[in-house]
Amino acid sequence: MIRQANIEDALFLYQIAQETGLSWSQKDFEDDLQLNRTIYFVSKEGFIGCQYILNEAEITNIAVSTKYQGKGHAKALWQMMHSFFSEKHIDTCFLEVRESNESARRFYEKIGFRLMSTRKKYYKNPVEHAMIYRWKKDE
């Protein structure tokens, strides 16, 4: 079951983030969950979060526990976010991903994101380029 996350989910989000190599702290999630234009959806397998304004959004995080990866859970989380986008009339979404994260990049491309640009040396530990993707409704 996928549901909207709340502040009590911050520890779970942090634990999944740690397991999957995301650098956010529990406080980062707590702070993000309290913003007016942020929404997270969570399941026992993982989560997806975004910040949005007007008709645009940015996926800030998507993570699925390693024991559940490759089983369609990220796609289910994306479908829930996609439904939210429809409700809010969001027609454009951006995200960034490490250049070396080929499995995530393949997933994003499969669900309709297109590579837009590269931010050189954006990530630290290790230094790596960020690949900027965009999803457009009906594209």
Side-chain angles (χ1 to χ4, degrees):
M1 178 185 88
I2 300 173
R3 62 173 174 77
Q4 186 173 338
N6 57 52
I7 192 73
E8 289 79 30
D9 294 307
L11 176 59
F12 174 77
L13 301 181
Y14 170 70
Q15 290 168 336
I16 296 290
Q18 289 294 290
E19 179 185 335
T20 58
L22 298 176
S23 61
W24 283 41
S25 69
Q26 183 175 341
K27 179 151 179 20
D28 291 334
F29 285 111
E30 290 168 354
D31 292 346
D32 208 35
L33 283 162
Q34 294 180 68
L35 297 174
N36 288 334
R37 294 289 184 176
T38 297
I39 189 163
Y40 280 76
F41 293 104
V42 65
S43 68
K44 69 177 182 144
E45 297 86 11
F47 67 91
I48 186 170
C50 86
Q51 294 180 351
Y52 61 96
I53 189 162
L54 301 175
N55 68 329
E56 290 189 356
E58 179 180 3
I59 300 291
T60 53
N61 288 294
I62 183 168
V64 173
S65 174
T66 54
K67 63 185 169 189
Y68 295 112
Q69 289 179 0
K71 297 181 169 121
H73 298 293
K75 185 176 182 183
L77 290 162
W78 164 249
Q79 288 169 334
M80 182 66 84
M81 187 64 74
H82 188 269
S83 293
F84 173 79
F85 288 173
S86 292
E87 287 173 25
K88 295 292 185 181
H89 305 288
I90 294 169
D91 60 18
T92 305
C93 181
F94 298 92
L95 63 81
E96 63 192 36
V97 62
R98 282 183 178 271
E99 183 177 33
S100 65
N101 193 343
E102 293 179 21
S103 63
R105 292 176 61 193
R106 278 192 306 273
F107 170 72
Y108 298 137
E109 290 167 7
K110 187 176 178 180
I111 61 173
F113 281 83
R114 301 291 172 251
L115 182 61
M116 266 183 50
S117 64
T118 303
R119 286 189 181 135
K120 302 289 184 185
K121 300 180 181 177
Y122 179 77
Y123 289 106
K124 310 293 184 239
N125 300 322
V127 173
E128 191 170 353
H129 302 327
M131 311 308 287
I132 310 303
Y133 282 84
R134 182 187 71 196
W135 168 87
K136 291 274 294 171
K137 181 182 176 185
D138 302 324
E139 191 173 275

